[in-house]
Amino acid sequence: MEYQIDQVIHGFKLCHKEYLKDIQGTAYYFEYQKTHTPLLYLSNQDNNKVFHIAFRTPSNNSTGVAHIIEHSVLDGSRKYPVKEPFVELVKGSVNTFLNAMTYPDKTVYPVASTNDKDFMNLIDVYLDAVFYPNIYKNKKIFEQEGWHYHLENPNGTMNYNGVVYNEMKGVYSSPEEILQNELFKQLYPDSIYGKESGGFPDDIPDLSYDEFLNFHRKFYHPSNAYIYLYGDGDIEAHLKYLDEAYLSDFDFQKVDSQIKLQPYFSKPVESSSYYPLSGETQLNNKNYLTIGWVLKDLKDDWLAFDILTNILLGENSYPLKKALLDLNICEDISYSYTTSVRQPYFAITLKNMMDETENIDRVQATISNVLSRLVEKGIDQKMLEAGINSAIFEIKEKDFGSYPPGLMFGLELMDTWLYDQDPLSHMRMDDAIKHVKAMAENGGFERLIDKQLIQNHHCAVVTLKPDPGLASKNAKALSERLEKYQSSLSDDEIDGIVKDTKELLAYQNREDTPENLATIPKLELSDLNAKARVPQIARGMMDDCFVLWHPAPTDGIVHLKFYFDIRTVAQEDLAVLGILNKLLFNVRTDRYAVDEMDQMIQIHTGGISTNLEVLDDVQSEGQYQAYLSIGGKALIDQIDHLLELLVQGMTASHFDEKEIIEAILQEHRTKFENRFLTSGNVLASQRLQSYYSQSAALYQQLGGIDFGRNLTAICQDYDINFDDLSRKLLRVYRQVINRNHVKLSITCEPVNQNKIYHKVKRCLQSIDNNEQTLYSYHFETEKKNEGFMTSSKINYVTKGFNIKRLGYDYKGSLFVLKTIMDMGYLWNRVRVKGGAYGTGFSVSKAGDLIFTSYRDPHVANTLQVYDEAGKYVSEMQISQRELEKAIIGSISTKDHPLSLAMQSYVADRQFLTRQTPEWTQIERDQILSTTVDDLRKCGEIIDAAMRQNALCVIGNEEKIRENQERFNELTFIQK
Ligand SMILES: [Zn+2]
């Protein structure tokens, strides 16, 4: 049906409609008349439907009120009076996305599903949550999610506790977050962006329950909401539902949520502060420096500025990044640019920088010299072409991985919509591309540099220095603050806090009643597809080379991937292979210098990447394969260029440019060290597996903690090490890139298959096919039970073992158990009560059973929760309805729609790990037919794995030392 402008449908008046080529659909812009709520419907054929409701939520302090509300509204509502409807939905829905996000100026509640019934269920739970949450009736929600005084007995020591409080403590353990916060404070001192919407840990306890409720009352009203729908849904049915079920119950209310503009500076500002760093580390190269600008009146130039940042800093060889690296004063440089704030900003950050003050001047002078030169002499046309082409490729490819495309469009729209500008202005990609192409021809990019960076005095220079004593100083200040408060209380008041604490714990321990749980809508098992998704894949040969073909509607894009068997490399050279992986396509080749290579890749391709993959065989215990994979993608008419570039990188690379290689290694070293703070759960669980598994021990050399140590060692004595490294790199490179030991994966449209076949075949001919011995590796494994100590406040706690080695088999019920553990047992004990930001249980198909926690304040308590899990599972009481929910939730993760690139990636992995279609179907059958008894039997498996007592923890120095007796080795990490 065609809607007319000004037509009113269920209370919604159509104000604007427009065909959008890029989403192959029509945008309808409505306004709900009674409350003036805007609604944007992007209607197309995509069945991965998306809904979000967003509110403008500016806050003028750093108590984190917006963030705490975001958590709290999902803790029960009028129609859904359970403790955590969100968690119940995750368990029993086939959603393809379900989350909530707090930004500096808005809070967004998105859901997505390919199933109509499920989609409506999700929307209803979310709307009831945001408009009718139980937070007014139940103060415990505020205490649990925000903060409370925690005191379990009158003689104990009082603490702050709360989910958001702990989450933000974790966030502010990272120097980069502290730096970001400081930059915002400096750039936007008079606007809400100068505050921390997530909550600054010291400020969170200043938030009162009343202020919390008032914030919800004021901002969570339809007159302050933005509703977005996307996909192939029934527009009229959706409007009718929104009208009848929610919006008609409200009247228009004037909500003052305007985001005030930050007045522009007339001259730059500077600031300097400290971050905690413990241990006896060298401090002189641990500084951070960031220089940020608030951009002025960007309007149509939003895409051009994005391209400009890439041209300046996208690769080590690009002019601004190169000039800064050449100063030799830092290990890594990054940049950020966002239009998701009312006044967009751009910032350049130097990490692990030397301490001398004059370096700040040198950095500023370098930036200003490079920019002035570019404006004066004009930007190289090839550079512009590279920047523009890579932007166009990204726009065309729309590869959002496992995220629903509609979700990403919806978030993008908010960049203008929230500020009362045309919500579609970033969606008209043809116009945007035309605009940047014109700018490239008429000096527009040079004018952009001049206006936004050279002439722009709204700039802040922020430095952050390490302070070894700061962590303990802060901890001391906090405990003094609490002690002082505690000693000021009368015995009655203390008893009151103990009573509140106990009541909160009792509330958290109480299970929802079956009647309340039954309010959460769920699908039936019969709504699920019984057949496992089987990837379309064809096998073939190209001379002696094995090829996996993935036919797919790629819109003219071709994906190629070479899998080189690494066993051509000797065990003692594996560390070198790890480094080679970081250097390929970033060093000079016979034909191209590094900067030329970078440009050619951007002009002609959608990118080239390399990776080291160790893949466990799912059918035989202890077997694995390991590859150096090299992938590239391009439009079909650029395939010759793509292949030429691949051949250059794979056969004609040189490893003799000392400085260029040093810069790359330093950058990766810094990134690796940061991982101890940001993704310690991944590092720790990989490490844990290396205590008993050969494949995991191999991965330690290629990309794990052993690799990181090797990198640090090389960087420390780089001048002495370089010649030897260079020689070894060349040797390993020649061994591993070998035509006799390569598999190929090709994704393209079937019509292009023939053309590609012949071209790729020719490309293969240029790869060496020397006879190579295939080595077999053996690693001495031992249960090291390591504790890696950092200056961070939080921990990553892992424990596990391989169940196949203990005589058990992987089966589908373990996958269902994961849903129950993640969203039930672990969620309640480690997250809600323990205060960790995240926690998980998993059993890989190869049999690795692992518990992990993420940004966790505890060590011993968490390990105890893991140890008791087996008993819990053996005695588990669970209704048929709850079991079905878990089965549905588990299956839904298997059926997630994936981008084309992801589909090929998954299909390759399934093939290489021998997850045959039959194997996958058996697993699905097992999941669908899981009984409570099957689940209980898993308790014994967990117990057996925990009894092996293999654990690895990355985290807070004092916490780890407190638990010394649990570890065999303690190691200090310099971060
Ligand atoms: Zn949060």
Side-chain angles (χ1 to χ4, degrees):
M1 190 169 123
E2 235 351 277
Y3 303 115
Q4 304 305 317
I5 297 295
D6 288 340
Q7 189 181 343
V8 177
I9 308 140
H10 301 292
F12 287 90
K13 184 166 129 182
L14 181 65
C15 308
H16 177 81
K17 67 175 174 181
E18 177 175 342
Y19 181 75
L20 293 173
K21 195 173 135 240
D22 285 282
I23 64 152
Q24 295 175 21
T26 303
Y28 297 95
Y29 188 86
F30 295 99
E31 192 177 287
Y32 188 69
Q33 294 183 294
K34 198 169 167 222
T35 55
H36 304 188
T37 311
L39 179 147
L40 190 65
Y41 208 122
L42 299 188
S43 171
N44 67 3
Q45 295 304 308
D46 191 347
N47 75 347
N48 198 358
K49 289 170 276 293
V50 180
F51 162 89
H52 82 219
I53 184 161
F55 300 94
R56 200 147 66 184
T57 50
S59 69
N60 52 18
N61 58 47
S62 297
T63 59
V65 57
H67 184 191
I68 298 169
I69 295 267
E70 175 235 297
H71 279 242
S72 301
V73 299
L74 298 172
D75 285 350
S77 64
R78 175 189 66 171
K79 282 159 78 176
Y80 307 109
V82 298
K83 281 196 300 190
E84 294 181 275
F86 172 79
V87 175
E88 299 309 320
L89 283 177
V90 175
K91 280 190 225 165
S93 141
V94 295
N95 72 78
T96 56
F97 189 84
L98 180 69
N99 210 338
M101 292 94 90
T102 308
Y103 294 83
D105 51 15
K106 64 179 179 277
T107 312
V108 187
Y109 296 86
V111 300
S113 182
T114 55
N115 177 298
D116 289 324
K117 193 166 134 196
D118 189 51
F119 187 55
M120 294 315 292
N121 290 345
L122 295 166
I123 295 178
D124 201 60
V125 173
Y126 260 33
L127 286 175
D128 205 61
V130 296
F131 290 127
Y132 302 103
N134 281 346
I135 56 173
Y136 294 92
K137 286 193 241 169
N138 186 353
K139 190 180 173 187
K140 292 201 172 54
I141 294 174
F142 167 73
E143 292 168 344
Q144 169 178 304
E145 299 298 338
W147 74 276
H148 64 273
Y149 290 113
H150 198 92
L151 186 64
E152 295 188 31
N153 75 68
N155 305 317
T157 320
M158 196 148 87
N159 260 316
Y160 291 127
N161 205 348
V163 176
V164 169
Y165 178 77
N166 290 322
E167 181 187 333
M168 296 314 291
K169 250 170 97 165
V171 168
Y172 278 98
S173 287
S174 142
E176 293 184 28
E177 293 289 347
I178 298 172
L179 187 68
Q180 171 77 16
N181 178 258
E182 194 55 36
L183 176 68
F184 267 56
K185 262 200 229 163
Q186 296 301 327
L187 283 180
Y188 304 99
D190 312 307
S191 115
I192 56 157
Y193 299 114
K195 311 294 178 202
E196 169 56 87
S197 66
F200 195 65
D202 285 345
D203 293 351
I204 290 173
D206 292 338
L207 179 68
S208 75
Y209 182 48
D210 278 341
E211 287 165 324
F212 163 82
L213 293 180
N214 285 334
F215 193 88
H216 180 269
R217 238 176 244 128
K218 180 172 176 190
F219 294 121
Y220 279 58
H221 188 280
S223 301
N224 187 45
Y226 300 78
I227 300 177
Y228 164 77
L229 280 145
Y230 166 92
D232 68 350
D234 179 341
I235 299 180
E236 211 159 318
H238 286 158
L239 298 182
K240 180 169 190 280
Y241 157 80
L242 289 169
D243 171 42
E244 290 173 0
Y246 289 94
L247 298 180
S248 59
D249 296 338
F250 293 86
D251 291 314
F252 174 72
Q253 179 181 310
K254 197 163 166 33
V255 180
D256 178 16
S257 62
Q258 279 298 327
I259 293 153
K260 289 184 193 66
L261 285 170
Q262 166 66 47
Y264 289 117
F265 299 171
S266 54
K267 61 179 204 298
V269 294
E270 283 183 26
S271 93
S272 173
S273 48
Y274 292 89
Y275 74 94
L277 180 80
S278 43
E280 295 105 58
T281 43
Q282 277 211 327
L283 295 178
N284 64 357
N285 61 345
K286 295 287 175 208
N287 282 25
Y288 286 75
L289 168 67
T290 187
I291 302 184
W293 291 261
V294 169
L295 306 174
K296 294 181 172 170
D297 205 18
L298 202 57
K299 289 202 177 120
D300 290 345
D301 293 342
W302 62 276
L303 181 62
F305 199 86
D306 191 24
I307 293 169
L308 182 65
T309 61
N310 177 8
I311 291 174
L312 293 173
L313 294 145
E315 301 286 345
N316 286 359
S317 66
Y318 287 5
L320 188 50
K321 189 162 182 189
K322 179 162 192 314
L324 291 171
L325 284 172
D326 285 348
L327 293 175
N328 259 321
I329 54 170
C330 72
E331 289 171 7
D332 191 17
I333 294 168
S334 67
Y335 61 98
S336 54
Y337 159 60
T338 178
T339 51
S340 313
V341 287
R342 183 160 180 204
Q343 291 159 286
Y345 83 96
F346 165 65
I348 303 171
T349 302
L350 281 74
K351 299 174 192 174
N352 287 7
M353 194 175 112
M354 315 261 200
D355 193 16
E356 292 76 22
T357 346
E358 69 263 22
N359 284 333
I360 301 174
D361 297 334
R362 289 174 69 201
V363 170
Q364 284 184 284
T366 303
I367 294 175
S368 113
N369 287 343
V370 171
L371 295 179
S372 308
R373 206 175 54 228
L374 287 171
V375 172
E376 250 164 60
K377 300 209 166 127
I379 305 170
D380 175 28
Q381 279 301 316
K382 271 224 131 94
M383 265 166 59
L384 284 170
E385 195 187 345
I388 292 171
N389 278 326
S390 85
I392 293 174
F393 191 94
E394 248 177 60
I395 289 165
K396 195 172 168 72
E397 188 185 25
K398 295 187 203 68
D399 181 5
F400 306 114
S402 57
Y403 291 110
L407 171 80
M408 307 311 277
F409 300 142
L411 294 175
E412 175 104 39
L413 290 168
M414 297 309 299
D415 285 3
T416 47
W417 202 7
L418 197 78
Y419 315 118
D420 306 318
Q421 295 155 22
D422 177 3
L424 301 177
S425 64
H426 289 194
M427 296 294 293
R428 299 182 189 102
M429 297 317 299
D430 274 359
D431 293 355
I433 290 166
K434 234 181 267 160
H435 181 70
V436 296
K437 283 187 170 163
M439 282 178 75
E441 275 163 24
N442 65 22
F445 280 91
E446 289 81 359
R447 284 196 301 279
L448 197 61
I449 295 180
D450 192 47
K451 173 181 168 188
Q452 299 295 356
L453 301 176
I454 296 177
Q455 308 292 341
N456 183 355
H457 299 300
H458 196 126
C459 171
V461 180
V462 175
T463 45
L464 198 61
K465 297 178 179 187
D467 177 349
L470 192 59
S472 51
K473 209 164 83 194
N474 287 343
K476 198 162 156 248
L478 178 65
S479 63
E480 277 171 8
R481 174 177 167 177
L482 283 160
E483 256 166 48
K484 200 170 149 211
Y485 179 71
Q486 191 171 357
S487 61
S488 77
L489 297 174
S490 68
D491 287 353
D492 282 356
E493 286 167 319
I494 293 272
D495 289 344
I497 289 176
V498 172
K499 187 167 154 274
D500 286 346
T501 304
K502 288 197 168 142
E503 279 174 12
L504 183 61
L505 288 170
Y507 162 76
Q508 290 171 338
N509 281 328
R510 199 155 53 223
E511 306 260 338
D512 286 312
T513 62
E515 298 77 57
N516 284 347
L517 280 175
T519 61
I520 302 289
K522 85 176 227 316
L523 296 178
E524 302 303 320
L525 288 184
S526 55
D527 292 323
L528 303 177
N529 191 346
K531 283 248 172 314
R533 181 164 67 188
V534 178
Q536 276 222 27
I537 191 166
R539 290 167 232 181
M541 295 301 285
M542 198 176 272
D543 295 337
D544 294 336
C545 172
F546 183 85
V547 188
L548 289 165
W549 288 96
H550 309 277
T554 59
D555 203 8
I557 295 173
V558 181
H559 297 255
L560 297 177
K561 199 163 173 187
F562 295 77
Y563 289 94
F564 291 99
D565 193 327
I566 70 163
R567 286 173 302 161
T568 50
V569 176
Q571 181 162 345
E572 62 269 24
D573 285 334
L574 289 171
V576 179
L577 180 61
I579 288 173
L580 180 73
N581 171 44
K582 303 292 182 199
L583 296 178
L584 281 180
F585 297 91
N586 292 307
V587 293
R588 80 177 178 97
T589 68
D590 283 351
R591 195 169 298 161
Y592 302 113
V594 175
D595 56 339
E596 291 168 334
M597 186 74 165
D598 288 337
Q599 274 181 10
M600 291 296 281
I601 289 175
Q602 288 211 329
I603 291 175
H604 297 292
T605 81
I608 291 178
S609 59
T610 65
N611 199 7
L612 285 162
E613 308 186 37
V614 180
L615 305 170
D616 285 311
D617 189 302
V618 303
Q619 299 199 26
S620 24
E621 195 254 308
Q623 298 294 309
Y624 64 87
Q625 304 187 37
Y627 298 100
L628 169 69
S629 69
I630 297 177
K633 54 192 176 182
L635 290 166
I636 180 78
D637 60 8
Q638 299 286 331
I639 182 83
D640 290 329
H641 285 294
L642 174 64
L643 290 168
E644 195 260 346
L645 291 165
L646 283 169
V647 168
Q648 277 291 308
M650 293 193 299
T651 67
S653 293
H654 294 269
F655 305 94
D656 54 0
E657 289 176 304
K658 192 173 167 187
E659 263 125 54
I660 287 176
I661 291 176
E662 183 175 23
I664 298 169
L665 298 187
Q666 291 286 15
E667 179 186 333
H668 283 289
R669 172 197 174 179
T670 308
K671 288 206 171 101
F672 197 89
E673 286 171 355
N674 270 324
R675 293 185 62 199
F676 281 95
L677 301 183
T678 55
S679 49
N681 52 329
V682 180
L683 284 185
S685 84
Q686 287 168 346
R687 187 70 173 179
L688 165 69
Q689 291 170 62
S690 76
Y691 299 163
Y692 54 79
S693 143
Q694 288 290 311
S695 63
L698 167 61
Y699 188 75
Q700 282 299 303
Q701 304 276 316
L702 302 175
I705 289 176
D706 288 340
F707 162 78
R709 283 178 172 162
N710 180 43
L711 200 55
T712 305
I714 289 176
C715 289
Q716 261 159 7
D717 287 309
Y718 187 73
D719 286 339
I720 303 168
N721 289 329
F722 178 73
D723 289 335
D724 184 45
L725 176 69
S726 171
R727 254 192 319 273
K728 283 183 181 158
L729 280 166
L730 192 62
R731 188 180 71 223
V732 170
Y733 173 64
R734 291 197 174 132
Q735 285 167 342
V736 74
I737 308 282
N738 187 300
R739 200 194 330 153
N740 286 336
H741 303 286
V742 65
K743 295 186 179 70
L744 259 171
S745 162
I746 303 175
T747 308
C748 66
E749 279 146 323
V751 304
N752 292 324
Q753 192 168 336
N754 228 337
K755 184 171 172 190
I756 291 166
Y757 179 91
H758 292 287
K759 288 181 186 291
V760 175
K761 193 171 158 182
R762 221 172 311 131
C763 152
L764 273 178
Q765 296 304 324
S766 40
I767 299 174
D768 261 355
N769 66 340
N770 299 334
E771 258 329 298
Q772 292 278 359
T773 28
L774 286 188
Y775 293 93
S776 56
Y777 305 136
H778 179 76
F779 301 91
E780 293 305 327
T781 55
E782 67 175 306
K783 197 172 72 190
K784 289 197 191 127
N785 288 10
E786 291 156 294
F788 293 95
M789 301 181 290
T790 70
S791 53
S792 153
K793 295 178 188 129
I794 37 89
N795 311 295
Y796 300 95
V797 182
T798 64
K799 185 165 184 184
F801 203 77
N802 187 291
I803 61 168
K804 290 191 180 175
R805 296 175 62 121
L806 301 173
Y808 300 98
D809 246 343
Y810 173 83
K811 48 192 178 183
S813 51
L814 284 163
F815 194 71
V816 178
L817 186 64
K818 172 182 171 53
T819 306
I820 294 172
M821 298 301 275
D822 286 0
M823 302 319 286
Y825 179 82
L826 290 174
W827 181 281
N828 292 333
R829 285 166 179 78
V830 180
R831 181 175 153 115
V832 177
K833 276 187 265 167
Y837 185 56
T839 171
F841 165 78
S842 66
V843 187
S844 75
K845 296 174 182 94
D848 294 302
L849 181 153
I850 311 242
F851 286 98
T852 57
S853 70
Y854 182 77
R855 294 199 199 146
D856 184 352
H858 301 289
V859 172
N861 293 8
T862 303
L863 287 169
Q864 194 185 344
V865 173
Y866 299 165
D867 287 339
E868 291 170 0
K871 182 168 185 302
Y872 167 85
V873 171
S874 304
E875 297 167 359
M876 185 160 46
Q877 298 294 330
I878 175 173
S879 67
Q880 185 59 26
R881 190 173 195 277
E882 291 306 298
L883 173 65
E884 281 181 22
K885 268 163 70 178
I887 292 173
I888 293 165
S890 307
I891 284 290
S892 109
T893 62
K894 301 260 172 206
D895 293 351
H896 236 91
L898 301 172
S899 71
L900 291 168
M902 284 284 281
Q903 284 174 32
S904 305
Y905 173 81
V906 169
D908 283 354
R909 291 211 146 209
Q910 287 186 349
F911 179 81
L912 296 171
T913 57
R914 290 208 294 153
Q915 294 177 60
T916 58
E918 299 75 36
W919 193 96
T920 312
Q921 185 62 46
I922 290 170
E923 188 204 15
R924 192 175 184 96
D925 296 343
Q926 288 174 345
I927 291 173
L928 285 169
S929 64
T930 296
T931 64
V932 178
D933 206 42
D934 292 335
L935 293 173
R936 288 195 190 122
K937 281 188 195 136
C938 300
E940 179 194 327
I941 304 177
I942 295 177
D943 272 338
M946 291 302 104
R947 269 198 307 272
Q948 297 300 312
N949 194 34
L951 58 94
C952 178
V953 178
I954 293 175
N956 177 273
E957 183 182 358
E958 281 138 54
K959 265 278 175 249
I960 289 180
R961 289 200 193 281
E962 261 171 43
N963 290 283
Q964 245 185 61
E965 73 289 351
R966 294 172 189 271
F967 301 103
N968 299 342
E969 273 182 57
L970 293 187
T971 306
F972 205 85
I973 298 300
Q974 301 210 327
K975 276 274 172 173

